[in-house]
Amino acid sequence: QQQVKQSPQSLIVQKGGISIINCAYENTAFDYFPWYQQFPGKGPALLIAIRPDVSEKKEGRFTISFNKSAKQFSLHIMDSQPGDSATYFCAAGHYGQNFVFGPGTRLSVLP
Amino acid sequence: DVKVTQSSRYLVKRTGEKVFLECVQDMDHENMFWYRQDPGLGLRLIYFSYDVKMKEKGDIPEGYSVSREKKERFSLILESASTNQTSMYLCASMASYTGELFFGEGSRLTVL
């Protein structure tokens, strides 16, 4: 089974700070790396995704940084807000097919 | 908006009972998935389906089966529930041309 490792397990950040979550994958054939956000009582929802042909993708306060040679990618949340408090899952896989998910990071943003 | 509906949010069953978890999507997506979510383990794929009557095993298929008789409906079946199947079950659908998974809100199953 291909693994996706994710760290940290939990993260506490002050409002306005930067939240950083890191992931590492094993399969060099993977070509799609999404991040999902899950609020309590809800299913995960796509936050942002990247393909390996670019090293960075930014959408608003959310940025994915991708290092193909190191097989690592990370999520940066700038100006973190209490409303960002949620569990974040990275995933890796083949576009249009199934993914392997990381174990998740519980983010708490303090007001 | 895409809607993935899981018929039961909370279920309590006894060991040995047969359990059906139903999932319906309204966007004509080809691909459907069943995941199990446990703290610290993330989302683990149980089964998936790329088309009607087709199914593929995921990473943890033991103790589960699935049925996809219609494109919009994907059912997860626990033939004989066991206590280690107590978990949150998430259904998802995906259009193969977008790659985005749309999840239902989950079914929390407790097996006593």
Side-chain angles (χ1 to χ4, degrees):
Chain A
Q1 177 183 348
Q2 300 288 343
Q3 279 194 335
V4 174
K5 297 179 181 178
Q6 182 173 348
S7 63
Q9 189 174 17
S10 63
L11 181 61
I12 299 175
V13 174
Q14 292 286 339
K15 178 182 176 181
I18 302 173
S19 303
I20 302 174
I21 305 171
N22 300 298
C23 285
Y25 64 98
E26 297 176 350
N27 189 339
T28 55
F30 286 158
D31 61 3
Y32 186 59
F33 303 89
W35 285 88
Y36 280 78
Q37 180 188 54
Q38 184 179 31
F39 294 106
K42 300 292 186 181
L46 179 65
L47 182 64
I48 187 172
I50 196 168
R51 305 292 293 267
D53 51 343
V54 296
S55 60
E56 186 176 282
K57 182 174 182 180
K58 184 175 181 179
E59 290 184 0
R61 296 184 294 109
F62 301 91
T63 299
I64 299 178
S65 296
F66 184 79
N67 185 329
K68 189 174 182 178
S69 61
K71 293 187 287 185
Q72 295 175 347
F73 58 111
S74 59
L75 176 69
H76 296 236
I77 305 175
M78 310 299 289
D79 187 27
S80 299
Q81 299 295 313
D84 297 330
S85 297
T87 299
Y88 292 81
F89 295 96
C90 62
H94 301 284
Y95 187 80
Q97 301 180 34
N98 55 297
F99 310 134
V100 180
F101 283 86
T105 296
R106 177 173 287 185
L107 172 65
S108 297
V109 181
L110 303 179
Chain B
D1 282 352
V2 174
K3 193 168 179 66
V4 178
T5 303
Q6 295 183 229
S7 57
S8 303
R9 292 296 305 275
Y10 301 95
L11 302 93
V12 180
K13 298 291 183 181
R14 296 207 174 272
T15 300
E17 280 193 86
K18 191 169 186 176
V19 182
F20 291 88
L21 299 179
E22 303 284 339
C23 176
V24 178
Q25 52 99 357
D26 66 357
M27 281 300 291
D28 201 36
H29 286 167
E30 301 88 0
N31 306 337
M32 296 190 74
F33 306 80
W34 275 106
Y35 291 90
R36 171 175 171 162
Q37 182 176 12
D38 299 289
L41 296 177
L43 284 70
R44 293 179 292 166
L45 182 63
I46 305 172
Y47 267 96
F48 60 101
S49 170
Y50 288 144
D51 203 350
V52 175
K53 296 191 184 295
M54 293 187 69
K55 59 185 179 183
E56 298 283 345
K57 292 181 179 179
D59 298 318
I60 53 165
E62 296 79 17
Y64 304 95
S65 63
V66 291
S67 173
R68 192 165 182 201
E69 297 295 320
K70 294 184 178 182
K71 190 175 185 179
E72 68 271 18
R73 188 178 298 270
F74 193 36
S75 302
L76 181 68
I77 303 155
L78 288 68
E79 293 289 342
S80 178
S82 62
T83 55
N84 62 12
Q85 293 178 310
T86 292
S87 186
M88 172 69 81
Y89 291 89
L90 288 164
C91 175
S93 72
M94 177 202 288
S96 56
Y97 57 87
T98 67
E100 179 176 354
L101 278 172
F102 293 89
F103 284 89
E105 294 195 324
S107 298
R108 182 166 294 281
L109 172 66
T110 300
V111 183
L112 303 175

